[in-house]
Amino acid sequence: MATNLRIKSIIEKQITTGRLAHAYLFVGPRGAGKKSFVLEFAKKVIGNENLFSHPDFAFLDCQEDASADSVRDFIGRMALKPFVAKKKFAFISNIENLNIQGANALLKTLEEPAGNTVIVLTANTGNVPPTIISRCMVFAFNRMPLQKTETWTSAEDPGRPILDFAGKPLSERLLGISRFADMPDSELKQEVENFVYESANALKSDLSKYNRLAAGLKAYEDLATNKNKKLILQALMLQI
């Protein structure tokens, strides 16, 4: 399970190694601490505490302004080279409020990201276009009891198998990718193997599930290669 500490560890390791993803999506209810996490993330990337006066930090709240023109203007600012820091940091909150035009404009940027910009999106619900979800490193958070100092935890049940995602809405399946991609290779291989066995058993009562089994077998074979785990899981989730 990707707890808040696990997420912080992942992000800090990426910052240290210089292997940041070009885009992140944090999904969870209000009060889960997404914004404060993103701002701390931005401070580490830019190396400055005064974000909102820094020329390499850009912020857009889609709850207040989700017009296509605002998104295009924001994207235009993101495309500029960093003025002071090594990277620019773009933060778009409440991404679920984007209209179709704004989402399409953002999608083009996510498809062809600038190497000197980190883009972070947050959403309070899973109602985010699958095309945007699939182009981000996704972390899902739940709000925890107030007495706990660490307020983030994965929205997915740590014991939830891959088969439980089968037939679910595409946005939910894509959100499950990060949970499984974080697993050690041996555990992920076992998880996919379990999915294959469960899918094979399901064929006894429903032959229409053959495509699900085929997708699992392909993922299992691909895990034996050097292919990217996230891409393997993405292909699996899209087909089940």
Side-chain angles (χ1 to χ4, degrees):
M1 177 173 60
T3 64
N4 56 315
L5 292 177
R6 171 66 171 160
I7 293 168
K8 289 179 181 178
S9 176
I10 292 171
I11 299 298
E12 288 175 355
K13 184 176 181 180
Q14 291 180 346
I15 293 173
T16 301
T17 60
R19 299 180 63 182
L20 290 167
H22 72 275
Y24 297 82
L25 172 61
F26 297 146
V27 182
R30 295 184 184 281
K34 300 186 301 295
K35 184 175 182 179
S36 60
F37 182 90
V38 175
L39 294 179
E40 288 302 314
F41 183 12
K43 290 174 184 177
K44 291 184 178 182
V45 171
I46 293 178
N48 193 293
E49 293 289 322
N50 301 315
L51 291 177
F52 289 92
S53 62
H54 198 284
D56 294 322
F57 177 81
F59 173 67
L60 175 65
D61 186 348
C62 293
Q63 185 172 355
E64 298 178 358
D65 188 356
S67 68
D69 287 341
S70 294
V71 174
R72 293 191 186 97
D73 177 67
F74 186 83
I75 290 172
R77 285 184 283 140
M78 286 196 304
L80 299 175
K81 292 182 179 181
F83 292 96
V84 180
K86 293 181 179 180
K87 286 182 176 290
K88 295 181 71 69
F89 195 101
F91 175 21
I92 307 179
S93 65
N94 300 298
I95 195 72
E96 70 273 24
N97 292 315
L98 270 184
N99 56 29
I100 295 177
Q101 293 80 8
N104 288 338
L106 178 61
L107 183 60
K108 292 180 180 178
T109 298
L110 295 177
E111 288 174 340
E112 300 177 359
N116 54 16
T117 300
V118 175
I119 304 169
V120 179
L121 317 175
T122 63
N124 297 317
T125 71
N127 189 27
V128 179
T131 48
I132 288 180
I133 294 174
S134 65
R135 287 162 175 78
C136 299
M137 177 173 283
V138 183
F139 293 101
F141 302 112
N142 276 340
R143 182 164 46 200
M144 295 294 286
L146 292 178
Q147 64 267 26
K148 294 204 174 182
T149 56
E150 299 292 351
T151 57
W152 305 331
T153 183
S154 170
E156 304 301 341
D157 183 341
R160 188 178 182 186
I162 293 177
L163 191 64
D164 276 7
F165 289 87
K168 294 296 191 294
L170 180 59
S171 58
E172 184 175 346
R173 282 179 277 149
L174 291 174
L175 282 172
I177 292 173
S178 289
R179 185 181 89 78
F180 294 107
D182 286 341
M183 285 182 169
D185 291 351
S186 59
E187 292 183 20
L188 176 58
K189 187 176 181 180
Q190 183 63 57
E191 187 73 35
V192 174
E193 184 176 342
N194 291 342
F195 173 78
V196 169
Y197 283 130
E198 291 165 347
S199 298
N201 287 331
L203 279 179
K204 297 175 183 178
S205 58
D206 189 350
L207 293 177
S208 68
K209 298 295 189 297
Y210 176 78
N211 288 340
R212 185 177 295 174
L213 173 61
L217 287 169
K218 180 66 165 60
Y220 187 79
E221 292 173 357
D222 287 344
L223 286 172
T225 69
N226 292 322
K227 291 184 179 179
N228 184 287
K229 288 195 299 184
K230 187 175 180 180
L231 293 179
I232 293 173
L233 287 165
Q234 180 176 310
L236 175 62
M237 290 295 187
L238 286 173
Q239 296 179 65
I240 66 172

